[in-house]
Amino acid sequence: MNSQHRNGTVYIVGAGPGDPGLMTVKGLEKLKEADVVVYDRLVNDDLLAYCKEGCERVFVGKESGYHPIEQEQITEILMRKSRLGLTVVRLKGGNPFVFGRGSEEAVALKDAGIDFEIIPGITSGLSAPIYSGIPITHRGLITQCVLITAHESPDKQGTQVEWDKLAQLKHATLIIYMGASRIESICNELVKHGMDPTTPSAVVENGTLPKQRTITGRLDCIAHEFKTMDFHAPAIIMISPTVAMRDQLSWFENRPLFGKRIVMSGSKKELEKLREMVYDLGGEVLPLPYSDSTLLPDRLDGNGNHSEEDLFGEKDSVSNGFQYDESYDHGFPLMSARRAFATVSGGTEDDLVEDIRNKRADAFIFATSSAVEHFFYIFGYEAAANLLEHGKSITVGHTAADTLINKNVRNISVRTANSTEELHDLIINLFPVA
Ligand code: SAH
């Protein structure tokens, strides 16, 4: 290597299966240090929030049957960036070395003389079932476990998976990746080769994420159930006697807000805490943050300026138990507030807004009255009112509640919380267990 110039190291890092908390500490450290992050579709976007300022993020997502960026191009990007002396993180879903092509990328780097390190991740096949309450092994039941891919290189003739031999295994757990589009033929194949058709089977879709879904059933019925329930990739198929233990061990899907879509509107800072709370209770968090420096048009006077009170935050956000750091807003220049608003409002609606429009939400949490204004601003009055009519609304503090009531929307079920504890209880009580 040229002594004048050092290539940067490429860290091939496993992002885990979806839940951002399932990334390794070492992986996260490298992610925080990275100058460039090259990431896939199955990587949870929330992890990118840990990237340092100025970090370049390159999305190279691949979808089944549609590969906008070829594998060679990905490797090429890694090489080019590291030759500039940059620290590169190649962030891949699950474990990069389990059906992840991480080893192909490592070989290419090796051939190019580029230093690399590999930080394994938690693979989806060994974690999604666990979030469904299904153990991989259990003493007395399972002595062997096989990880299988149902999606082989298209250039292969036939299948290399020995379904006939797998069908004969006893005391075994079969874990099948990339099997969503072939579940029917997989199950048929196993039954045809002698596997007991009553073997307990499961499919976990979007495992470890708040939108996780699980179905269980006999081996000869699970494909039908899959179709009926309209399951899709990413999904793990598991065939094992341990599937029966889900009745006892289900935990992730039992949390109070599991399956609920909770929209929250507030400044980035206010949402941090809310987000954590809802996430811990199992809800799907749909955050609508606005820049802390953003002011809404109706809060600006005719000259485009705003009152001092607006700038220094709302009264209710000081007294409601949320940490309010005055120094945060103090001395904030007027002009940049306007520019920040232009940035936020300038773009078209993002995917999240579209998603909320289409699928609605079960509850709405408003951190302040500005958060209410923000919500009505981005959806438009009619759509916002319509959304709120179909869900329950919580405001933090009375000012926000008043703003909501002043909007004259019918059927809003507003509840007000004045402390974090109260908010916590309110959220849980919105959805009492049947
Ligand atoms: N390297 C990855 C696997 C990549 S192959 C890992 O270690 O997990 C892609 C397949 O992984 C998907 O087709 C699906 O079978 C599985 N998968 C990835 N994330 C998943 C998730 N959150 N839930 C269920 N299956 C998932």
Side-chain angles (χ1 to χ4, degrees):
M1 190 187 292
N2 181 340
S3 61
Q4 303 291 308
H5 174 79
R6 255 192 82 78
N7 291 334
T9 301
V10 176
Y11 297 92
I12 303 176
V13 178
D19 180 344
L22 292 183
M23 187 173 177
T24 63
V25 174
K26 187 170 179 182
L28 191 59
E29 272 169 16
K30 294 301 168 201
L31 183 62
K32 286 176 180 171
E33 288 168 16
D35 299 308
V36 184
V37 175
V38 181
Y39 65 102
D40 283 344
R41 191 172 57 90
L42 284 176
V43 167
N44 190 330
D45 281 356
D46 287 358
L47 285 170
L48 300 177
Y50 291 101
C51 295
K52 69 182 180 191
E53 215 175 315
C55 170
E56 184 186 353
R57 302 162 189 190
V58 186
F59 176 66
V60 291
K62 288 187 252 171
E63 288 192 42
S64 183
Y66 172 68
H67 293 193
I69 295 198
E70 296 299 329
Q71 188 60 44
E72 299 78 58
Q73 283 176 280
I74 297 175
T75 319
E76 179 58 36
I77 294 169
L78 298 179
M79 292 184 198
R80 209 171 57 232
K81 297 294 180 185
S82 72
R83 284 189 179 122
L84 293 172
L86 300 171
T87 298
V88 182
V89 161
R90 171 67 174 117
L91 192 59
K92 294 177 73 76
N95 186 332
F97 273 41
V98 177
F99 302 133
R101 305 191 70 167
S103 42
E104 289 172 47
E105 294 177 17
V107 168
L109 293 170
K110 177 80 185 172
D111 290 347
I114 289 167
D115 289 343
F116 62 85
E117 287 188 20
I118 301 154
I119 303 174
I122 295 184
T123 188
S124 53
L126 300 181
S127 52
I130 295 172
Y131 268 49
S132 294
I134 303 170
I136 309 298
T137 65
H138 187 74
R139 194 161 60 96
L141 275 184
I142 302 297
T143 52
Q144 45 196 343
C145 170
V146 189
L147 305 187
I148 301 153
T149 172
H151 181 272
E152 297 179 335
S153 291
D155 54 348
K156 278 184 197 154
Q157 286 294 316
T159 175
Q160 285 192 340
V161 180
E162 297 173 286
W163 296 108
D164 51 339
K165 300 210 172 93
L166 293 171
Q168 301 298 320
L169 294 178
K170 298 281 174 266
H171 307 291
T173 290
L174 305 186
I175 291 177
I176 304 162
Y177 293 69
M178 291 173 270
S181 57
R182 298 171 194 201
I183 183 164
E184 198 170 353
S185 54
I186 290 168
C187 297
N188 287 343
E189 198 71 8
L190 288 169
V191 172
K192 187 175 101 189
H193 290 287
M195 193 169 220
D196 179 354
T198 69
T199 309
S201 308
V203 183
V204 189
E205 177 194 76
N206 287 311
T208 79
L209 291 166
K211 56 186 173 188
Q212 168 175 309
R213 292 196 298 165
T214 307
I215 47 170
T216 57
R218 291 162 46 130
L219 174 60
D220 58 353
C221 301
I222 197 78
H224 178 73
E225 185 72 3
F226 186 97
K227 225 186 253 168
T228 310
M229 298 296 290
D230 198 25
F231 266 45
H232 295 280
I236 288 290
I237 303 169
M238 178 156 176
I239 300 164
S240 169
T242 58
V243 169
M245 297 179 73
R246 172 170 153 83
D247 289 344
Q248 286 163 277
L249 298 182
S250 178
W251 62 277
F252 184 68
E253 295 170 26
N254 298 356
R255 293 170 309 152
L257 296 187
F258 185 79
K260 303 289 184 234
R261 289 162 55 82
I262 319 279
V263 170
M264 47 186 69
S265 178
S267 71
K268 282 181 186 155
K269 200 154 154 275
E270 286 154 351
L271 291 195
E272 263 169 41
K273 202 162 192 167
L274 278 173
R275 208 184 157 111
E276 210 172 291
M277 189 189 293
V278 170
Y279 197 86
D280 286 347
L281 292 168
E284 185 175 351
V285 180
L286 307 166
L288 293 175
Y290 54 89
S291 155
D292 294 80
S293 52
T294 303
L295 287 174
L296 299 156
D298 60 353
R299 303 185 72 104
L300 302 178
D301 64 22
N303 301 320
N305 291 322
H306 41 71
S307 72
E308 196 170 321
E309 190 183 317
D310 278 339
L311 268 188
F312 286 86
E314 297 195 329
K315 299 285 180 286
D316 60 353
S317 64
V318 182
S319 59
N320 62 16
F322 280 82
Q323 297 272 308
Y324 183 81
D325 177 6
E326 280 206 344
S327 63
Y328 197 80
D329 279 345
H330 192 76
F332 188 79
L334 297 184
M335 281 317 291
S336 58
R338 297 193 63 196
R339 230 174 282 134
F341 173 72
T343 315
V344 171
S345 63
T348 52
E349 291 153 348
D350 62 10
D351 293 347
L352 182 59
V353 171
E354 207 46 43
D355 178 74
I356 296 168
R357 265 185 208 285
N358 295 335
K359 297 200 215 140
R360 300 215 168 119
D362 300 288
F364 301 83
I365 305 176
F366 297 99
T368 57
S369 61
S370 295
V372 176
E373 300 287 2
H374 175 68
F375 183 80
F376 276 81
Y377 178 74
I378 51 174
F379 284 99
Y381 182 85
E382 220 166 288
N386 193 279
L387 281 167
L388 293 180
E389 268 191 47
H390 290 90
K392 305 172 185 190
S393 318
I394 296 182
T395 66
V396 179
H398 290 281
T399 321
D402 290 345
T403 311
L404 209 46
I405 291 161
N406 284 340
K407 297 277 177 201
N408 251 339
V409 183
R410 287 172 301 121
N411 292 341
I412 304 180
S413 58
V414 185
R415 308 190 195 185
T416 309
N418 290 309
S419 69
T420 325
E421 292 72 30
E422 214 182 313
L423 181 64
H424 182 274
D425 293 346
L426 261 188
I427 295 175
I428 293 181
N429 291 331
L430 277 188
F431 305 102
V433 185

